[in-house]
Amino acid sequence: MATYSRFIRRLMISSLTVVVSRALIGPLLTLFLSNKLDLNPQDVGLLLGIAVFSATLLSLYGGYIIDRLDKRQLLILTMLSSGIGLILLTFAQNLYLVTLVLIISETASALFMICSKAILSENLPVGQRVKAFSLNYTLTNIGYAVGPMIGVVIAGIQPSAPFIVAGAIAIGSIFLLLGAGKDAKPIAPPGQPQSFLKTLVILKNDRTMILFTLGCLLSTLVHGRFTLYLSQYLLVTHTQQQTLDTMAALLACNAITVILLQYQIGRFLTREHLRHWIAGGTALFIGGLIGFSVADSLVGWCVAMFIFTLGEMIIYPADFLFVDTLAPEELRGSYYGAQNLAALGGAVSPVMCGFLLMHTPAPSMFYALSALAALGGYLCFVSCRRAASMQK
């Protein structure tokens, strides 16, 4: 990290602290909503799906706004919104109010991610971007290693306390960016973006981007919100305490694997062989899902999570690298916002998985997800091959 500017270093640290605030409530959110609103797994999945779906659509316009306004100030606004939303969640008793708060929190989280990517692309040379993103992703996974364990401990003392602590951490992260970034100079200062309507037309006419985003959407059904459908599955097949213990172990396994291996793997990703990396990452996703379906012990669950995580470590930086290759300098936020539409897979995932868990044998959920992962990986592979041929 010493090789990067002060602004980039603080951005990476704030990514860590913001993820800690999200990870604190990660394994608790499904159970919290189920108990607070007396909802079954399918209804909880529908509620979370609505929140993610709304936030994803809003982030498309948010990406356009990111191209037009000061990115550092937008990052601060997203932190404040996320923190307030998490705290309000503990006081909301009405279903509609809970839904609104979840939408605000999810939108803030999505815009923070999009804005962070745009800043890395804007302020770093091409050769450093994938390594920086891999390092940033590694740091955020330290948050996923620490957050769930802290959250479970705090929840044992007071069930609603993790949400208050998480909100305080998100708001406190604002101080990391105060005064930083004012002297940051982008490598290639972007021009003034066009109107939102013209930007949408540009995105609509980029067939390669559309194909890739569709493939990412199907893949995101699998990896975007895996903590939610794993929690749903465990709540159906295990006790509440077993669910909490297993989810804490799985999230720790996921994060520790990324911390140890993400940066090492990220160094080898190249634009020339991107489609082959994506194919390998998809195969690992499928292997992990099949492992989940047959796991009958905590060790089995962790082995499956390790395989699944290897796929995750490839797909995340590969997605970033592909969009970075396609996006014009003045439309980076818009392109990342468009690619974030893939998060709609995260909105559909808990709804679909909740339905499958209610109406089919529980393991069939993982086989359905495996088929979607295979189709999504194929579409991404084709779009990468198409982009490579266009650049020749």
Side-chain angles (χ1 to χ4, degrees):
M1 288 183 63
T3 61
Y4 302 117
S5 67
R6 184 178 68 152
F7 179 43
I8 297 298
R9 292 198 302 269
R10 290 197 178 189
L11 172 64
M12 291 183 176
I13 295 172
S14 66
S15 297
L16 168 62
T17 56
V18 167
V19 165
V20 168
S21 73
R22 302 290 300 180
L24 270 172
I25 66 168
L28 306 171
L29 185 58
T30 301
L31 181 61
F32 179 80
L33 293 175
S34 178
N35 292 336
K36 190 178 186 68
L37 301 176
D38 194 26
L39 301 176
N40 61 40
Q42 183 174 346
D43 290 337
V44 171
L46 180 61
L47 173 60
L48 294 173
I50 290 172
V52 176
F53 179 82
S54 302
T56 302
L57 292 182
L58 290 171
S59 69
L60 179 61
Y61 184 71
Y64 170 74
I65 293 298
I66 287 170
D67 284 328
R68 298 183 66 88
L69 301 180
D70 184 273
K71 294 179 177 61
R72 183 184 64 91
Q73 294 180 0
L74 287 173
L75 281 177
I76 291 174
L77 180 61
T78 62
M79 293 177 186
L80 181 63
S81 301
S82 180
I84 293 175
L86 292 172
I87 293 173
L88 287 178
L89 198 59
T90 62
F91 301 103
Q93 301 292 331
N94 181 277
L95 175 62
Y96 300 105
L97 183 57
V98 169
T99 303
L100 177 62
V101 171
L102 285 173
I103 290 173
I104 293 172
S105 181
E106 290 291 339
T107 302
S109 179
L111 292 182
F112 181 90
M113 179 182 67
I114 294 169
C115 196
S116 297
K117 289 180 179 179
I119 288 174
L120 289 177
S121 291
E122 185 179 283
N123 289 273
L124 294 174
V126 174
Q128 295 183 16
R129 290 173 188 171
V130 176
K131 293 181 180 179
F133 184 74
S134 291
L135 178 57
N136 188 55
Y137 187 57
T138 300
L139 290 173
T140 61
N141 274 275
I142 294 177
Y144 282 117
V146 175
M149 292 182 284
I150 297 176
V152 170
V153 171
I154 296 175
I157 301 173
Q158 170 55 249
S160 62
F163 294 86
I164 298 176
V165 173
I169 292 174
I171 295 173
S173 301
I174 292 173
F175 294 100
L176 289 168
L177 295 181
L178 292 179
K182 294 181 178 179
D183 56 348
K185 296 182 179 180
I187 297 299
Q192 183 67 20
Q194 304 178 57
S195 69
F196 182 57
L197 183 59
K198 290 183 178 180
T199 300
L200 288 179
V201 172
I202 293 173
L203 292 169
K204 180 181 73 70
N205 292 332
D206 194 332
R207 306 296 183 183
T208 303
M209 184 63 185
I210 292 174
L211 185 64
F212 185 79
T213 301
L214 180 59
C216 287
L217 188 151
L218 294 174
S219 296
T220 304
L221 277 164
V222 176
H223 68 79
R225 296 277 168 165
F226 70 88
T227 57
L228 296 182
Y229 67 71
L230 288 179
S231 295
Q232 289 173 289
Y233 178 86
L234 289 168
L235 283 173
V236 170
T237 59
H238 296 67
T239 65
Q240 287 192 2
Q241 188 58 48
Q242 288 174 328
T243 297
L244 290 174
D245 294 341
T246 303
M247 285 303 302
L250 291 180
L251 289 173
C253 177
N254 173 266
I256 291 171
T257 302
V258 173
I259 291 167
L260 295 177
L261 300 176
Q262 174 69 68
Y263 186 70
Q264 305 304 321
I265 291 177
R267 292 189 306 163
F268 295 104
L269 263 69
T270 61
R271 298 171 191 265
E272 296 77 17
H273 301 97
L274 197 56
R275 61 184 182 273
H276 301 110
W277 281 101
I278 288 177
T282 300
L284 289 167
F285 275 147
I286 294 172
L289 289 168
I290 294 174
F292 289 141
S293 71
V294 299
D296 58 0
S297 67
L298 188 58
V299 173
W301 278 99
C302 288
V303 170
M305 177 55 73
F306 174 75
I307 297 171
F308 187 91
T309 302
L310 292 177
E312 179 189 6
M313 291 191 301
I314 294 171
I315 294 299
Y316 269 104
D319 290 351
F320 169 82
L321 181 57
F322 184 81
V323 178
D324 182 70
T325 302
L326 283 184
E329 291 290 341
E330 70 277 8
L331 293 175
R332 292 203 177 276
S334 298
Y335 264 69
Y336 285 123
Q339 194 268 337
N340 192 62
L341 288 175
L344 290 173
V348 176
S349 180
V351 180
M352 182 191 75
C353 292
F355 177 84
L356 291 173
L357 289 171
M358 291 287 288
H359 300 287
T360 66
S364 65
M365 178 189 77
F366 293 116
Y367 303 131
L369 290 170
S370 296
L372 293 170
L375 180 57
Y378 173 75
L379 293 177
C380 289
F381 182 90
V382 171
S383 59
C384 288
R385 185 173 59 188
R386 177 174 176 174
S389 65
M390 291 172 59
Q391 292 173 1
K392 290 182 179 179

